[in-house]
Amino acid sequence: MSLSRPAQPIRLYAMRLSGHAHRALLCLSLLGLPFETVEVDLVAGEQKSPEFLAMSPFGQVPVIVDGETVLFDSTAILVYLAKRYGDPSWLPDDPVGAARVQQWLSMASGPIAHGPCAARLVKVFGIPIDYDVAVRVSTRLFDVVEPALGKTPFAVGSHPTIADIAAYSYIAHAPEGGVSLAPYPNIRAWLARIEALPGFVAMPSSPLPATAA
């Protein structure tokens, strides 16, 4: 739960099937913060409007507006929410703990984005990305993460951090990109632990591709 509360509900600009946006939504919910969601119609091009670009110059979701503070980029939003409203367990202050969280945030912007996220973009949204590369990146990622999650209940230790939030959405929805989680029992157990947290909110499912297990 959060240690302080915003003066008014935080506004979250999102798209319901975006894993990046789900990170922000999940963090807001796990911290028990009041917020309202504004759906951005990416198909209609609302992300290209001058009003939206003034908040998010790359035309991407999510964006949060917290009073006078406007932030884009999902991992930056997680850092802000944890530091502004969360207790230190969500983003440790000690050098090693902070660095280990950063490793996962970098993974979220690297192999998670280029692996399960990219594979899902191909299968669900028809984005012309090299699917075989995305699957290979996903497999390598899961081969690294699987043994790590067999050592600790959560990404960096015994309790959840924003590292777990950053990694959860696209890994949980990897089967939508045709990447099975069946060979990875530790990853599946970790996902279940996150889903059991008070305040957890799921991202809507997309149709499973025929190749997913």
Side-chain angles (χ1 to χ4, degrees), residues 1-11 24 26-35 64-71 76-91 93 162 165:
M1 295 294 292
S2 62
L3 299 180
S4 59
R5 306 281 288 180
Q8 56 191 14
I10 295 171
R11 190 176 305 120
L26 181 56
C27 190
L28 287 163
S29 186
L30 290 175
L31 290 178
L33 297 172
F35 68 95
I64 63 166
V65 178
D66 182 18
E68 298 299 316
T69 300
V70 180
L71 285 173
I77 289 169
L78 298 185
V79 170
Y80 170 78
L81 293 174
K83 287 303 227 180
R84 179 69 179 84
Y85 296 112
D87 65 62
S89 68
W90 289 103
L91 180 54
D93 290 325
I162 61 171
I165 299 174

Side-chain angles (χ1 to χ4, degrees), residues 58-180:
F58 294 106
Q60 299 171 339
V61 293
V63 176
I64 63 166
V65 178
D66 182 18
E68 298 299 316
T69 300
V70 180
L71 285 173
F72 63 92
D73 183 84
S74 62
T75 54
I77 289 169
L78 298 185
V79 170
Y80 170 78
L81 293 174
K83 287 303 227 180
R84 179 69 179 84
Y85 296 112
D87 65 62
S89 68
W90 289 103
L91 180 54
D93 290 325
D94 68 282
V96 174
R100 287 179 175 161
V101 168
Q102 181 57 53
Q103 287 177 326
W104 282 79
L105 298 185
S106 296
M107 246 195 303
S109 300
I112 291 176
H114 298 294
C117 171
R120 182 172 172 269
L121 286 173
V122 174
K123 292 292 188 178
V124 176
F125 300 102
I127 303 299
I129 298 171
D130 191 319
Y131 180 72
D132 291 338
V133 169
V135 172
R136 287 198 297 271
V137 172
S138 299
T139 301
R140 173 59 179 156
L141 168 71
F142 295 162
D143 286 346
V144 170
V145 170
E146 171 69 11
L149 290 175
K151 298 175 183 177
T152 59
F154 294 99
V156 299
S158 60
H159 54 78
T161 66
I162 61 171
D164 300 279
I165 299 174
Y168 172 84
S169 305
Y170 286 117
I171 293 179
H173 288 258
E176 295 177 3
V179 183
S180 175

Side-chain angles (χ1 to χ4, degrees), residues 12-23 25 37-43 61-62 116-118 120-127 169-170 173-174 176-177 202-208:
L12 168 65
Y13 291 84
M15 193 273 277
R16 62 191 299 272
L17 294 180
S18 164
H20 286 70
H22 181 254
R23 291 169 179 161
L25 185 150
T37 303
V38 179
E39 185 76 8
V40 180
D41 190 339
L42 303 184
V43 175
V61 293
C117 171
R120 182 172 172 269
L121 286 173
V122 174
K123 292 292 188 178
V124 176
F125 300 102
I127 303 299
S169 305
Y170 286 117
H173 288 258
E176 295 177 3
M203 183 169 78
S205 296
S206 302
L208 282 174

